[in-house]
Amino acid sequence: MLLKVLSILSLASLSLPSLASPVYNASNGHYYELHTFTDDWRLDWSEAKNFAESLSHQGGSGYLATVTSQAEDDFLWSVLGAQGSFLGGFDTSSYNSTDGKWKHQAWQWVSGEAFSYTNFLQGEPNHWQDNSALTPDPEDYLMYWWQAGAGNERWNDTNLDSSHLTSEGIRYVVRGFVVEFNPTLTTPVPVPPSIWLFGSGLMLLLQRRKAAA
């Protein structure tokens, strides 16, 4: 029976994500959480987005991280160690059957924030081999590359599951994704009335004992 229970627990663990602890960024008051894929647990960008939005921390709902400043970029790269991870940026594209090319629109953040700060590697975004045998999906999703460029550039565009075909089979480029939490709970939690009643009664009892003495 014990062996059977352990087997069930082992199988159940295959669908669980790697554990991560939110890290606080004092420059903007947000928390960030790095989730790393395993051999048994991998998500594409859309699935990672949905997973992030199912989380919450410190009263704030989660979402794929949006990088809107150099300070935030440096924090995610140097402190969190988010190299090779999905971020919350995306592009929309449509296929032109006349010329056989993809038409790409402006990049956006999942949060709706302005996509004004950018830090793409030189030559990126290049929508490499969109809709080809090598990359069947258009590169419409943002990720941190594994190494920074000469000018400390870090961003790369990738396809939905960040994969491409090689002579050895499918190769996945990303290793995980970053979840951002913007806390919305800014007021203290009210003290239950029962605590106030208990405290008031205790103070009254002490005062009576002091007077009797």
Side-chain angles (χ1 to χ4, degrees):
M1 176 61 73
L2 178 59
L3 181 59
K4 184 177 181 180
V5 171
L6 290 176
S7 298
I8 293 174
L9 291 175
S10 178
L11 289 173
S13 67
L14 296 181
S15 61
L16 295 177
S18 58
L19 298 177
S21 298
V23 179
Y24 182 67
N25 181 2
S27 68
N28 62 3
H30 294 191
Y31 289 84
Y32 299 85
E33 197 171 68
L34 179 62
H35 290 266
T36 305
F37 298 140
T38 67
D39 291 340
D40 304 305
W41 185 72
R42 172 170 289 277
L43 305 178
D44 63 29
W45 186 90
S46 292
E47 292 168 339
K49 175 180 178 294
N50 292 335
F51 183 89
E53 292 171 358
S54 73
L55 304 176
S56 63
H57 180 70
Q58 294 289 319
S61 298
Y63 52 93
L64 281 182
T66 61
V67 189
T68 58
S69 69
Q70 182 69 58
E72 188 174 19
D73 202 356
D74 291 341
F75 176 86
L76 294 180
W77 185 268
S78 302
V79 178
L80 197 67
Q83 293 87 338
S85 299
F86 277 133
L87 296 171
F90 67 98
D91 185 15
T92 55
S93 59
S94 58
Y95 183 70
N96 189 331
S97 58
T98 302
D99 59 11
K101 296 181 179 180
W102 286 87
K103 180 180 180 181
H104 298 278
Q105 312 299 326
W107 282 85
Q108 306 170 56
W109 292 118
V110 293
S111 62
E113 296 167 276
F115 205 94
S116 53
Y117 170 79
T118 62
N119 195 18
F120 282 103
L121 287 158
Q122 186 174 1
E124 303 291 347
N126 62 358
H127 298 286
W128 181 74
Q129 298 288 338
D130 279 359
N131 205 39
S132 69
L134 293 176
T135 310
D137 302 314
E139 291 195 325
D140 283 344
Y141 307 96
L142 187 64
M143 66 168 288
Y144 268 132
W145 192 241
W146 289 89
Q147 293 180 323
N152 213 26
E153 306 91 352
R154 301 158 178 162
W155 299 4
N156 177 58
D157 59 333
T158 189
N159 59 346
L160 184 62
D161 64 356
S162 193
S163 70
H164 63 271
L165 296 177
T166 69
S167 58
E168 299 176 351
I170 297 177
R171 176 176 180 263
Y172 294 100
V173 180
V174 297
R175 67 181 180 107
F177 57 96
V178 182
V179 181
E180 181 173 356
F181 303 96
N182 182 3
T184 57
L185 186 61
T186 57
T187 56
V189 177
V191 178
S194 58
I195 299 297
W196 287 112
L197 290 175
F198 174 79
S200 299
L202 181 61
M203 289 297 296
L204 181 60
L205 178 61
L206 291 175
Q207 288 175 355
R208 286 181 176 178
R209 287 186 175 180
K210 184 176 181 180

